[in-house]
Amino acid sequence: MFSRNWRVLSRAYSQAVTFRTSEISPQHQNDKQIGLFYTLKQDTCKELFSNGGLPKSFMKQTKTFTETTLMIRQPALDLINCIKSTDFNKPVIRYVLYGEKGCGKSLTMAHMIHYAYEDGYLIVHVPWVSEWLRRVPRHKEMSNSQTREGLVDLPLDAAAWLIHFKSQNQTLLKSSDLKISKEYVWSKREKTESGAPLSELVEHGIARIKYACDVIDALISEIKILSNNKQCKTFVAIDGFNSFFYPLTRLNTPTKKKVKPDEVTLTKSFLELTKNDWNNGIILLSADQLAVPDENQDSYFPRYLLRKQGFEYLDPFVPIEVGRYSDKEFLSCASYYRDRLWLRGPPEIETELKFTSACNPFKFMEQCAPL
Amino acid sequence: MNFNSRFLNKKLCNYHFRNCIRWFVVQNRLYAKATSFPDFFQNPIFRKEDQAKLIENSELAKLAAVPVRPPASYETCSVYHDPLVNKVINHVMEMGKKQLARSLVEKAFENIKRIQIERYHLAQTQEEKNKIELNPKSILYNAVENCKPLLQLSPIKRGGITYQVPGPITEKRSLFLSIKWLLEATNDKERTVHFPEQFAWELLDAANNTGKVVKRKQDLHRQCEANRAYAHYRWQ
Amino acid sequence: MSLVMSFTVKNLLPATICSIRSNFPSSIHKYSTGPSKTSSNVLDHLTDWETLSKNRKTSKAMKAYLERAKEHDEFMKRQHLEFNIGKRHLANMMGEDPETFTQKDVDRAIEYLFPSGIYDPAARPLMKPPEEVFPARKAAEFDEAGRPHHFLFYTGKPSFFKVLYDAAEHIQALNKFEDKVIRKKATPDPNGSLKLEGSVWLTKEQLEQSLVESIKEIEYENFKVVMERLVSSPYAYLCKDFIEKYRKPLAMQRFALEIPKPSYDEEGRAFITTYECLRKKARGEVTIRYPGSGKISINGKDITYFEDIQPREQVMFPLIFSGMQNSVDVECHIEGGGPSGQAGAIRWGIAWSLRSFVEKDMLEKMQVAGLLTRDHRRRERKKPGQPGARKKPTWKKR
């Protein structure tokens, strides 16, 4: 009888803890831990994702669950293995994440950023491109670009991004081994000299919003040079890359003319960055249906979302599909929600939810909400 | 000859049934197809618990021989379905937009859950934690229970003066008033606050026996108590 | 003395005077039995006088009635003849044998020869035997003397009130029986009990037809109340015949009768296809394969074909109810209608197909849950002069 109690207890214990793993460093995670959740440390979280990076609904969940956890899934592990076996002397490889709405592309990207952070990469992360091009509350601060004719600037967004960049790369920038190679003249009285640390460039951009877009341009060219010189390895992550290639944005010039993404300086900068003419880096992009308006959301494949122009630009790239939950992942997620008091009720609910949510992670989360 | 006989036949047939139509008893139906199931169709019983009860009473076979109406498009046997929740969704619904109403109520439940989980994590001792109710449906049940009035005032005119006379209230009407008051209180919200959040707050207050709606019910009870002198007017 | 005689005669036999007087009109001779002046003959003459006078007053009504009845009979005979001749002609027209031409064939022929686009079946051309077409008439309700046969004639609806009277009598009789049984301290017979599940009370129209009298709504409700009271007594089985007369049996459910056998496809899996899955304007077909793994495909897409949660729940309903969600594969094609209609059509299709793969008691459970009933409701038409199907314009008192 004692042994039976012991068995029951141990089973309960193992059931209680099967959805978690204590391996919090992405570098050491392996296939055995697929479907398990690992917790991110609070300060890492703040550094990496305080200005974006995690989807809004996920941020709400972190507040409710009082912790930030990510699930270890197959696409992320595949990416980590690919990265571990890349040859950094060759030009950069571009990976494109694709999948249905709500399957976990942004969270996979977050997982990779955490890995890059642990591994000491210089992170260039654009949380959500459509934020710049399509989220127009009432009036977006735009100005005509000074350095490039006929193009439009988005100074506030650029400055916000520079803050994000700074917070993500705090440790690397503080070690200040990275120095600029050229001199940049902003105006009569302001210029940044060659040999100054990268952080100075960034500070300048944050302080002087007027020149923020140009600072980003400069920063990107500097990063390329630094990577080529093997002074740092770069990890570029851009979420919603396909909105750069959609014919229209929601921006309007003061003359009420629609602006194309090609006419925005930020587009040019990041397209410059994602060209594979430099090495010692990884580029991770995602093609998302949510980045384009509803009429053009017929399919989730990159060929459709990136359109002809984008596909030719990005060719060759490695596509990685992020799919729905497998059975094991689903069960693990359900037990995690139960543990966090998000899902309550009899066990039959799980079969029903599996059916109605079709194992889509986002839908599953939504449908657990009122239960 | 054939033609003649056919013509004659037709004439005969025509004559016969033209007469028939004139004399035929007119049916009361206005529509060619029936728009709802006839009265003798029974209501369906699809929840597992109700069916288990039937099996105990061994009445299942009898009911299986009778025609049964199909369940409505929002009723399922799953644990999702709850008649009170569905009633609330119907009351929230406007212009027949059930999807929108359902999503609003579900978001309200989500908000309740988040608030309660937050409180749960803030509570220090295990007893306090046990007291906090985390299931939004049971909070809804408690809220609706606490807001149900037990009497109602009906205006009765005697001698030129309209008195508000307290009288009994049926279960159905009491439930209806409770839900209606909750929704009215939610709609008196600020412009920036969204319906689900306000609804969540109202439900939590009502479940705790505080808040505007419970106050309204208690005011009604006080009025009834004050007017109990007029109660006999119901039978004059 | 003769005066006295006559006086006494007058007093004793006042009838004689009448009879003497009555001898004058010549027509009376036919009523009198003979030239006898005995007391019985006198009494006969007495009644003869009353009936004579009464007949004079009521003969017109009776005559008119008799005339009308004769006319009606003759009319019916003529109609019968015409109908039969017409039937034979119709059979000839259709090229069929007149001897074996049934009423069903007649209906089919009329539908073929006179196609009609009218909605109401009652307004379309028809050819039926005269009894069904012309309303039934009552037999003579009063005799030649004008006295009604039925004791409730003066209520205006004698048959209907007779029914209520009989029911009341039965109720009282049953109450007495129950009292007797209780006094003897016996129990009711458990075998004898009424089976009322498969039948309903006659509708108002049917009752009117069977009693050949018009009935008001209130009266019909009263009738139902009385019959329910009769049925609620524990010994109602004693009056079974009386009750059966006013119960209409419902059509037995055919959900269990013709369960189709599954056919087998290339891989050896059993599958069943239900065609004609309808709900509102949605039309489709559902195929269930067994054994399967719980895959759903709707028009080629996954269950994500439905974006909202309610249609998905509806599709899930029969599978979860019968517990087969992981053991069958579902494949459906639907078009038309909206998400709710399509979901309803698929739900019925799945339930109907699952009949072949499920046990008998689960069949009964599905029937009680109403999953197997076809939903034939359609959108009601908007009427002219009204904003909607039922909504009327604002009611103005004046």
Side-chain angles (χ1 to χ4, degrees):
Chain A
M1 202 182 87
F2 178 69
S3 59
R4 200 190 72 186
N5 278 346
W6 176 247
R7 259 186 282 132
V8 163
L9 272 174
S10 57
R11 204 182 305 142
Y13 178 74
S14 59
Q15 272 170 359
V17 191
T18 23
F19 53 86
R20 276 199 209 272
T21 172
S22 46
E23 188 58 68
I24 47 174
S25 169
Q27 285 179 319
H28 307 297
Q29 282 159 359
N30 52 21
D31 280 343
K32 286 191 218 145
Q33 288 154 348
I34 286 186
L36 303 182
F37 285 87
Y38 79 97
T39 330
L40 281 171
K41 279 192 271 201
Q42 285 285 6
D43 23 338
T44 329
C45 221
K46 250 193 234 172
E47 261 187 48
L48 292 178
F49 300 124
S50 55
N51 290 30
L54 293 176
K56 277 211 189 116
S57 40
F58 190 74
M59 296 301 284
K60 264 201 259 174
Q61 293 290 71
T62 44
K63 193 166 158 254
T64 309
F65 298 163
T66 63
E67 62 179 5
T68 322
T69 50
L70 292 177
M71 192 195 254
I72 301 170
R73 295 182 76 193
Q74 189 62 42
L77 285 177
D78 286 340
L79 262 176
I80 292 178
N81 288 337
C82 286
I83 293 174
K84 281 187 188 165
S85 50
T86 38
D87 181 4
F88 285 110
N89 296 324
K90 300 251 175 65
V92 286
I93 308 178
R94 292 176 286 213
Y95 299 94
V96 174
L97 289 173
Y98 71 99
E100 286 172 341
K101 273 192 265 193
C103 269
K105 300 182 281 295
S106 307
L107 285 185
T108 316
M109 203 174 263
H111 191 175
M112 297 316 300
I113 290 177
H114 185 211
Y115 169 77
Y117 176 77
E118 298 261 316
D119 222 11
Y121 282 74
L122 180 74
I123 305 176
V124 180
H125 171 53
V126 178
W128 186 240
V129 172
S130 303
E131 184 89 28
W132 299 337
L133 299 181
R134 303 191 67 79
R135 191 181 299 268
V136 183
R138 204 158 289 179
H139 169 69
K140 199 103 159 135
E141 264 246 8
M142 295 189 308
S143 60
N144 287 322
S145 170
Q146 281 155 343
T147 40
R148 306 197 203 187
E149 282 303 312
L151 293 189
V152 164
D153 236 359
L154 294 168
L156 288 178
D157 291 323
W161 183 78
L162 281 169
I163 298 175
H164 177 60
F165 177 77
K166 184 173 145 197
S167 110
Q168 277 189 325
N169 298 304
Q170 271 173 5
T171 38
L172 273 178
L173 290 175
K174 276 197 193 124
S175 61
S176 69
D177 279 339
L178 310 162
K179 306 241 187 277
I180 322 176
S181 49
K182 276 196 291 197
E183 190 188 347
Y184 294 101
V185 180
W186 307 114
S187 69
K188 259 196 228 163
R189 273 178 254 158
E190 294 164 10
K191 62 175 181 177
T192 323
E193 322 216 325
S194 66
L198 213 57
S199 43
E200 203 185 293
L201 196 60
V202 177
E203 293 288 337
H204 179 79
I206 297 171
R208 302 287 319 214
I209 296 183
K210 195 166 138 194
Y211 301 117
C213 287
D214 302 322
V215 165
I216 291 180
D217 251 342
L219 187 64
I220 285 172
S221 49
E222 289 302 317
I223 289 174
K224 276 196 180 175
I225 296 171
L226 286 170
S227 300
N228 279 337
N229 296 343
K230 301 258 197 245
Q231 280 179 322
C232 69
K233 40 185 187 169
T234 318
F235 186 88
V236 180
I238 302 185
D239 206 350
F241 193 65
N242 52 326
S243 58
F244 280 143
F245 299 110
Y246 188 72
L248 290 173
T249 64
R250 283 224 185 110
L251 304 167
N252 281 330
T253 57
T255 52
K256 302 274 183 173
K257 200 168 72 106
K258 284 276 180 194
V259 175
K260 284 200 219 155
D262 288 336
E263 293 168 14
V264 181
T265 41
L266 288 169
T267 325
K268 289 268 187 272
S269 321
F270 286 102
L271 286 179
E272 187 64 41
L273 183 58
T274 47
K275 269 199 202 147
N276 52 356
D277 53 0
W278 51 287
N279 51 10
N280 204 11
I282 312 278
I283 303 182
L284 180 62
L285 310 169
S286 90
D288 204 337
Q289 282 175 308
L290 295 170
V292 283
D294 290 327
E295 300 86 47
N296 300 53
Q297 283 184 0
D298 287 324
S299 138
Y300 61 88
F301 292 104
R303 175 74 183 82
Y304 174 77
L305 288 172
L306 290 172
R307 295 169 161 260
K308 185 156 172 284
Q309 189 197 355
F311 196 77
E312 281 168 12
Y313 183 84
L314 279 184
D315 200 22
F317 62 87
V318 180
I320 298 186
E321 181 173 5
V322 183
R324 302 183 187 162
Y325 279 155
S326 67
D327 288 340
K328 183 166 167 248
E329 288 177 340
F330 185 85
L331 282 173
S332 144
C333 193
S335 35
Y336 175 63
Y337 283 163
R338 272 189 199 272
D339 175 60
R340 290 282 102 202
L341 306 170
W342 187 238
L343 174 65
R344 315 178 96 238
E348 289 92 44
I349 281 192
E350 272 159 52
T351 38
E352 292 173 11
L353 282 175
K354 199 167 170 186
F355 193 102
T356 53
S357 67
C359 292
N360 185 324
F362 185 61
K363 281 265 188 285
F364 179 46
M365 193 174 85
E366 263 186 356
Q367 284 170 9
C368 286
L371 290 175
Chain B
M1 214 274 285
N2 257 346
F3 174 73
N4 276 344
S5 66
R6 267 213 201 127
F7 184 66
L8 209 65
N9 302 339
K10 264 201 180 161
K11 271 280 184 191
L12 278 172
C13 293
N14 267 335
Y15 179 68
H16 184 80
F17 67 71
R18 247 193 285 134
N19 269 346
C20 302
I21 291 171
R22 229 185 290 149
W23 281 90
F24 196 82
V25 174
V26 172
Q27 277 182 297
N28 273 334
R29 261 189 336 186
L30 295 176
Y31 328 111
K33 298 181 181 130
T35 41
S36 60
F37 291 99
D39 288 330
F40 53 82
F41 271 71
Q42 303 286 340
N43 282 327
I45 301 172
F46 43 83
R47 309 225 63 201
K48 294 257 166 72
E49 309 94 47
D50 298 336
Q51 286 220 336
K53 269 191 230 162
L54 276 189
I55 293 171
E56 277 173 24
N57 300 347
S58 62
E59 283 175 5
L60 198 72
K62 281 192 219 164
L63 282 174
V66 182
V68 175
R69 290 192 169 101
S73 55
Y74 48 80
E75 293 174 340
T76 53
C77 71
S78 75
V79 202
Y80 281 125
H81 170 73
D82 196 71
L84 184 69
V85 173
N86 188 55
K87 206 164 177 59
V88 169
I89 292 177
N90 283 345
H91 282 277
V92 167
M93 171 167 70
E94 274 172 41
M95 303 289 289
K97 293 187 180 178
K98 184 99 172 206
Q99 226 172 326
L100 178 62
R102 184 173 173 162
S103 64
L104 286 175
V105 172
E106 292 201 335
K107 280 199 187 113
F109 282 174
E110 189 185 328
N111 287 343
I112 293 178
K113 223 159 83 159
R114 284 190 205 273
I115 296 169
Q116 293 292 82
I117 289 179
E118 216 182 289
R119 284 193 196 153
Y120 184 89
H121 287 304
L122 286 173
Q124 309 296 338
T125 62
Q126 193 58 36
E127 294 151 5
E128 276 177 59
K129 288 196 185 205
N130 288 346
K131 275 193 208 156
I132 297 179
E133 179 60 61
L134 289 171
N135 189 3
K137 278 200 197 131
S138 51
I139 289 190
L140 176 75
Y141 274 92
N142 288 342
V144 164
E145 259 317 300
N146 288 343
C147 294
K148 274 195 195 166
L150 300 167
L151 301 167
Q152 64 176 353
L153 290 172
S154 15
I156 296 189
K157 210 165 179 188
R158 292 267 179 269
I161 312 176
T162 320
Y163 298 104
Q164 295 288 335
V165 175
I169 196 173
T170 50
E171 253 309 305
K172 273 191 181 175
R173 179 147 173 89
S174 163
L175 179 68
F176 167 72
L177 279 178
S178 159
I179 299 179
K180 180 175 161 191
W181 288 344
L182 277 168
L183 292 177
E184 272 181 22
T186 325
N187 283 327
D188 286 336
K189 56 181 180 65
E190 289 106 60
R191 231 192 49 161
T192 43
V193 179
H194 290 292
F195 178 90
E197 293 154 22
Q198 185 74 16
F199 196 41
W201 282 113
E202 293 293 334
L203 286 177
L204 283 170
D205 283 340
N208 274 336
N209 256 320
T210 54
K212 277 199 284 189
V213 193
V214 175
K215 182 170 170 305
R216 183 169 175 177
K217 175 194 89 156
Q218 284 164 352
D219 283 342
L220 177 68
H221 284 176
R222 249 174 262 139
Q223 265 279 59
C224 289
E225 189 60 32
N227 280 9
R228 69 177 188 269
Y230 301 132
H232 66 286
Y233 279 160
R234 281 205 308 139
W235 292 281
Q236 232 179 31
Chain C
M1 189 132 119
S2 60
L3 268 172
V4 171
M5 272 295 290
S6 62
F7 183 74
T8 44
V9 159
K10 254 196 234 175
N11 284 335
L12 287 169
L13 304 159
T16 37
I17 302 166
C18 309
S19 60
I20 295 163
R21 270 201 225 130
S22 69
N23 273 325
F24 289 125
S26 52
S27 54
I28 304 151
H29 282 299
K30 46 179 175 168
Y31 296 109
S32 56
T33 41
S36 49
K37 292 197 179 130
T38 51
S39 53
S40 55
N41 276 348
V42 159
L43 286 170
D44 281 336
H45 287 310
L46 178 63
T47 45
D48 289 340
W49 175 251
E50 286 179 12
T51 42
L52 180 66
S53 51
K54 278 229 173 72
N55 269 335
R56 267 222 182 112
K57 283 185 201 151
T58 58
S59 66
K60 271 194 191 155
M62 197 54 188
K63 256 194 217 167
Y65 173 78
L66 285 171
E67 250 181 60
R68 258 184 285 128
K70 216 171 54 176
E71 220 185 272
H72 181 73
D73 283 331
E74 276 176 30
F75 174 75
M76 287 302 274
K77 264 196 231 148
R78 256 185 293 132
Q79 292 296 322
H80 258 294
L81 200 66
E82 276 179 14
F83 176 72
N84 284 328
I85 293 176
K87 212 164 87 162
R88 294 183 79 89
H89 279 302
L90 193 62
N92 266 335
M93 268 197 271
M94 297 299 289
E96 299 201 21
D97 184 18
E99 307 297 331
T100 54
F101 206 54
T102 56
Q103 184 55 39
K104 260 195 179 170
D105 299 322
V106 169
D107 292 331
R108 242 182 335 125
I110 294 285
E111 214 187 299
Y112 170 70
L113 291 170
F114 303 100
S116 149
I118 300 177
Y119 278 133
D120 197 358
R124 295 183 200 147
L126 57 81
M127 186 162 157
K128 294 252 189 250
E131 293 91 27
E132 290 178 32
V133 172
F134 300 108
R137 279 161 162 248
K138 278 200 170 173
E141 284 168 323
F142 44 86
D143 60 6
E144 295 155 351
R147 265 203 218 105
H149 294 299
H150 207 288
F151 70 102
L152 289 172
F153 172 73
Y154 288 106
T155 57
K157 299 176 198 183
S159 336
F160 174 69
F161 285 105
K162 177 94 173 32
V163 170
L164 293 182
Y165 180 81
D166 284 339
E169 275 205 344
H170 280 301
I171 290 174
Q172 284 188 345
L174 289 180
N175 284 344
K176 285 206 187 119
F177 185 72
E178 200 178 336
D179 288 337
K180 253 203 278 181
V181 168
I182 290 173
R183 244 178 279 139
K184 285 194 196 162
K185 301 215 174 109
T187 45
D189 182 13
N191 292 337
S193 56
L194 278 180
K195 289 223 166 66
L196 294 173
E197 293 86 25
S199 52
V200 267
W201 295 116
L202 290 183
T203 58
K204 186 159 146 323
E205 286 79 17
Q206 286 162 338
L207 196 59
E208 279 181 359
Q209 261 191 330
S210 75
L211 297 174
V212 198
E213 275 162 12
S214 68
I215 301 175
K216 287 196 245 171
E217 283 276 344
I218 309 176
E219 288 167 355
Y220 177 66
E221 293 298 318
N222 191 16
F223 162 74
K224 275 213 281 204
V225 165
V226 170
M227 298 304 274
E228 288 293 327
R229 190 148 167 223
L230 175 62
V231 159
S232 65
S233 156
Y235 299 95
Y237 58 84
L238 295 170
C239 311
K240 197 166 162 183
D241 301 320
F242 175 70
I243 295 171
E244 296 283 305
K245 259 197 284 182
Y246 300 101
R247 290 287 291 193
K248 185 181 131 194
L250 297 170
M252 273 298 291
Q253 292 314 294
R254 293 186 291 133
F255 67 93
L257 289 177
E258 311 119 0
I259 302 178
K261 286 227 165 66
S263 27
Y264 293 85
D265 63 359
E266 307 96 41
E267 293 150 33
R269 300 210 300 188
F271 75 95
I272 281 267
T273 318
T274 313
Y275 301 100
E276 272 197 22
C277 300
L278 322 166
R279 170 95 222 272
K280 284 176 152 186
K281 292 243 169 171
R283 303 275 177 272
E285 61 204 22
V286 173
T287 312
I288 292 204
R289 279 173 224 277
Y290 178 84
S293 54
K295 277 194 282 221
I296 314 271
S297 103
I298 305 173
N299 279 358
K301 267 171 97 170
D302 205 5
I303 188 141
T304 41
Y305 175 81
F306 291 124
E307 283 177 16
D308 196 33
I309 187 178
Q310 190 171 290
R312 292 189 192 181
E313 275 177 17
Q314 289 299 296
V315 168
M316 179 183 77
F317 185 2
L319 294 171
I320 292 227
F321 186 80
S322 56
M324 311 272 277
Q325 71 263 24
N326 285 328
S327 32
V328 290
D329 277 347
V330 176
E331 187 191 313
C332 24
H333 294 278
I334 13 152
E335 48 187 22
S340 182
Q342 289 185 338
I346 297 178
R347 178 181 92 183
W348 183 80
I350 294 179
W352 201 246
S353 310
L354 275 179
R355 285 182 309 158
S356 327
F357 298 116
V358 130
E359 287 105 51
K360 196 161 166 281
D361 59 320
M362 181 51 81
L363 256 187
E364 282 186 356
K365 285 188 198 165
M366 283 215 280
Q367 165 64 14
V368 172
L371 282 170
L372 299 170
T373 345
R374 239 216 176 117
D375 201 338
H376 64 271
R377 298 176 288 182
R378 300 279 173 268
R379 198 189 71 113
E380 204 174 294
R381 177 219 144 145
K382 173 196 171 324
K383 322 293 178 316
Q386 292 174 13
R390 299 276 171 118
K391 183 175 180 175
K392 314 279 186 294
T394 349
W395 179 73
K396 294 202 175 50
K397 197 164 178 177
R398 46 186 77 85

